Amino acid sequence: MSNHLFDLVRLHAADPTKTFIETETGRVLTYADLQAQTARLANVLVELGVKAGDRVAVQVEKSPEAILLYLACIRAGAAFLPLNTAYTLTELEYFISDAEPALVICDPARREGIAALAAAAGVAAVETLGRAQDGSLAHKAAQAKPVFDTVARGPDDLAAILYTSGTTGRSKGAMLSHDNLASNALTLKDYWRFTADDVLLHALPIFHTHGLFVATNTILMAGASMLFLPKFDAEQVFALMGRATTMMGVPTFYVRLVQDERLTRHATRHMRLFVSGSAPLLAETHRSFQEKTGHAILERYGMTETNMNTSNPYEGARVAGTVGFPLPGVSLRVTDPETGAEVARGEIGMIEVKGPNVFKGYWRQPEKTAAEFRDDRYFITGDLGKIDADGYVHIVGRGKDLVISGGYNVYPKEVETEIDGMAGVAESAVIGVPHPDFGEGVTAVVVPEKGATLNAGGIMSALEGRLAKYKLPKRIIIVEDLPRNTMGKVQKNVLRDTYKGIYGG
Ligand code: MCA
Ligand code: AMP
């Protein structure tokens, strides 16, 4: 039976003996293993009651099995719903109740807390999967048959839901179809010249678009291999770079590498391509990396809702501070945010995109979906940019109140809501301030109620355990009042300017 995404995976896995994933400990999974293990896992999913169209929510540590589980969901016709491993139980409660998954899979260490949440949300089954091939799901898969009749799914059927935080309300589940993922991966494979001979050094997390779709799907479409690290670790990156041909990373990876004296032409001699995305790469990092290695980092631009939209060229100038050209098949325009009219070339406006890469809408939120599309189906990204005379797209700012820290999105509103709910707090403003390692550092400016005394340590302890660690402010500043414009709106630009030097970056 035809399954749009998995048929393409099978088609490009020409050599079953070829390595699909090798871990940092030398464990190897071939493309034949991919077939057999995803069949075993898909059989277990079906036994557990997962049907076509169901959601499978997954919060597990990075491992080859986690990737196989993603592919098993695709084979079983389900929508894969990955969750950041940093999410606390408080955060998970919302995702599980909103998505109504048929099955939740978590790390064995978190079973108790998550099982209670799942039971409260009426989820039928909870299984576990650990990094060491352990957990109840791994155990069941080992007993299951290594063949599976892949469930039929068409290009428009749902393949995944990825939650992305909302600037105003709660997180929204971006629904991505089989063809959203397949078309983008095929485009990237060609644009970045991936072949079966490539070995990708994979140090990203796998619960977001970057590590899961941009990296893994592109490798699958090329029938290529990955060297899998549990997380970014400069030591391991240098140890394995001599065996890799490509790497994808967020700017923090490159900031850390350029500060490392091991970064040389010799260390990178086996590499053909370094890709950066998820947040702006400083032109200074680009230049310094090129000076030390001879490699011009290729910067590209995407979103959870759209997969990848633009990329600097493989051949031709990779211009620092730009995100390159719209990818083949992607239409991109810059408009006046108020009127929606296209602005003249070179002028700054809202970036809007359209193409097979753009998602199907937000899970059970038709009004929010409608609000983010123009009548002619262009998606309003919330990013402000311009197209220069040579056709390169520049991102110059954000029309949305968002902080990107080390490649993770943090929505100020979410952190402010937590702080504002604390005793003695009158109000707060959360901003992103230049940070030498994370690009932007989450920073909270807090006003106490009249007569109340607050201390930063107390606020921080109250936030811990409620918000994922990467969302926690790196600094909390207590002030008497917040700057406001004549309309009474807090001037975050003034705050960003006031505190721009606090991290010394
Ligand atoms: C870890 N911490 C962070 C971050 N990561 N704080 C702020 N921002 C972060 N990103 C916390 C840790 O919990 C720890 O807290 C302290 O900071 C220092 O941790 P450290 O060991 O330095 O961090 P790390 O483990 O080395 O992680 C940094 C990292 C990682 C390697 C940059 O965050 C990472 O892999 N980021 C990639 C994110 C990503 O894949 N984004 C793609 C989204 P404590 O000391 O208190 O324990 S997809 C996307 O955006 C779109 C679609 C796109 O275009 O790609
Ligand atoms: P996410 O919601 O996690 O998918 O993050 C998407 C956002 O990351 C985009 O809307 C941009 O604001 C930002 N982003 C991704 N790639 C780049 C880039 N190369 N330069 C600047 N911002 C980027």
Side-chain angles (χ1 to χ4, degrees):
M1 258 191 273
S2 162
N3 176 301
H4 190 62
L5 185 56
F6 198 72
D7 286 352
L8 285 164
V9 171
R10 213 193 307 255
L11 179 75
H12 293 99
D15 176 2
T17 65
K18 190 167 175 71
T19 298
F20 168 42
I21 300 180
E22 180 180 333
T23 66
E24 82 289 358
T25 58
R27 190 159 74 87
V28 172
L29 272 107
T30 63
Y31 275 92
D33 296 329
L34 179 158
Q35 285 294 337
Q37 307 291 14
T38 56
R40 288 181 196 277
L41 285 163
N43 278 314
V44 178
L45 296 178
V46 171
E47 271 163 35
L48 290 166
V50 173
K51 295 184 294 300
D54 281 349
R55 279 80 49 216
V56 175
V58 177
Q59 192 199 39
V60 297
E61 295 299 327
K62 184 175 177 181
S63 72
E65 282 64 35
I67 294 288
L68 298 175
L69 176 58
Y70 151 60
L71 294 171
C73 286
I74 300 295
R75 290 190 75 174
F80 185 67
L81 196 164
L83 293 160
N84 193 322
T85 47
Y87 287 151
T88 63
L89 286 177
T90 315
E91 291 166 313
L92 288 177
E93 189 175 9
Y94 167 73
F95 298 118
I96 293 176
S97 59
D98 188 61
E100 293 185 7
L103 169 65
V104 175
I105 299 163
C106 66
D107 190 79
R110 302 198 86 184
R111 191 180 193 290
E112 206 178 319
I114 290 179
L117 287 183
V123 176
V126 177
E127 298 289 335
T128 60
L129 180 67
R131 276 206 74 222
Q133 298 162 268
D134 55 334
S136 60
L137 188 76
H139 182 72
K140 286 183 175 146
Q143 326 284 318
K145 279 207 233 101
V147 285
F148 179 75
D149 197 3
T150 301
V151 173
R153 292 267 94 182
D156 269 343
D157 283 324
L158 211 54
I161 297 183
L162 266 65
Y163 274 83
T164 138
S165 305
T167 36
T168 45
R170 306 302 298 262
S171 279
K172 297 165 288 183
M175 299 190 287
L176 295 148
S177 70
H178 276 237
D179 199 52
N180 290 152
L181 304 184
S183 64
N184 210 236
L186 287 168
T187 300
L188 296 178
K189 174 193 81 139
D190 290 341
Y191 208 75
W192 295 339
R193 310 282 197 273
F194 272 86
T195 70
D197 294 333
D198 273 305
V199 179
L200 177 83
L201 189 45
H202 192 303
L204 287 158
I206 52 169
F207 39 72
H208 278 313
T209 297
H210 199 162
L212 186 61
F213 302 144
V214 188
T216 307
N217 283 350
T218 303
I219 286 301
L220 285 165
M221 294 302 142
S225 309
M226 296 195 274
L227 281 169
F228 230 46
L229 301 184
K231 58 174 276 200
F232 179 84
D233 176 85
E235 225 34 65
Q236 289 180 330
V237 166
F238 283 112
L240 292 174
M241 212 180 253
R243 295 181 49 213
T245 61
T246 55
M247 189 176 91
M248 296 183 193
V250 295
T252 300
F253 287 18
Y254 296 107
V255 166
R256 291 182 183 182
L257 290 177
V258 293
Q259 284 167 355
D260 197 304
E261 57 187 20
R262 289 168 291 187
L263 187 74
T264 59
R265 277 176 188 265
H266 185 73
T268 56
R269 71 196 179 287
H270 198 247
M271 298 289 284
R272 68 167 185 88
L273 179 65
F274 291 91
V275 180
S276 176
S278 305
L281 180 76
L282 291 178
E284 186 192 313
T285 311
H286 190 281
R287 269 192 291 275
S288 160
F289 197 89
Q290 191 161 15
E291 253 169 49
K292 292 184 174 193
T293 66
H295 289 278
I297 298 171
L298 183 154
E299 185 169 6
R300 57 54 174 187
Y301 157 63
M303 285 182 81
T304 302
E305 288 93 331
T306 64
N307 297 290
M308 297 305 101
N309 294 312
T310 72
S311 170
N312 268 280
Y314 188 76
E315 276 147 21
R318 298 177 193 162
V319 181
T322 82
V323 292
F325 308 110
L327 285 164
V330 177
S331 306
L332 183 147
R333 68 187 181 195
V334 180
T335 63
D336 180 321
E338 301 304 318
T339 64
E342 207 163 336
V343 300
R345 176 66 69 105
E347 276 181 27
I348 294 170
M350 177 63 71
I351 297 178
E352 299 183 5
V353 294
K354 185 174 167 175
N357 52 316
V358 178
F359 75 137
K360 298 289 147 196
Y362 295 113
W363 170 252
R364 290 182 180 162
Q365 307 236 36
E367 300 83 19
K368 287 201 172 140
T369 304
E372 302 209 15
F373 279 93
R374 300 279 182 207
D375 292 344
D376 57 359
R377 299 301 297 160
Y378 270 82
F379 174 67
I380 307 165
T381 62
D383 291 309
L384 299 173
K386 64 172 186 182
I387 305 175
D388 70 19
D390 299 319
Y392 286 81
V393 176
H394 299 235
I395 296 176
V396 297
R398 291 177 206 133
K400 48 195 173 190
D401 192 14
L402 159 71
V403 179
I404 306 185
S405 169
Y408 286 137
N409 288 7
V410 180
Y411 281 88
K413 181 86 196 153
E414 188 183 5
V415 186
E416 289 161 3
T417 306
E418 289 289 341
I419 297 176
D420 293 351
M422 293 177 192
V425 172
E427 61 174 343
S428 64
V430 169
I431 51 170
V433 170
H435 189 285
D437 188 31
F438 293 124
E440 292 179 308
V442 176
T443 306
V445 188
V446 185
V447 181
E449 273 173 350
K450 264 206 169 61
T453 23
L454 290 175
N455 73 73
I459 296 174
M460 190 62 108
S461 330
L463 289 175
E464 276 163 15
R466 290 191 63 80
L467 294 178
K469 269 195 166 174
Y470 68 88
K471 297 180 188 170
L472 298 179
K474 298 281 174 218
R475 194 78 66 85
I476 295 175
I477 300 154
I478 314 281
V479 297
E480 270 172 29
D481 46 31
L482 298 173
R484 291 194 133 79
N485 65 14
T486 48
M487 311 288 289
K489 196 170 181 287
V490 174
Q491 291 171 300
K492 288 200 168 179
N493 52 336
V494 173
L495 289 175
R496 279 191 286 268
D497 196 49
T498 307
Y499 297 111
K500 63 174 185 263
I502 58 172
Y503 299 112

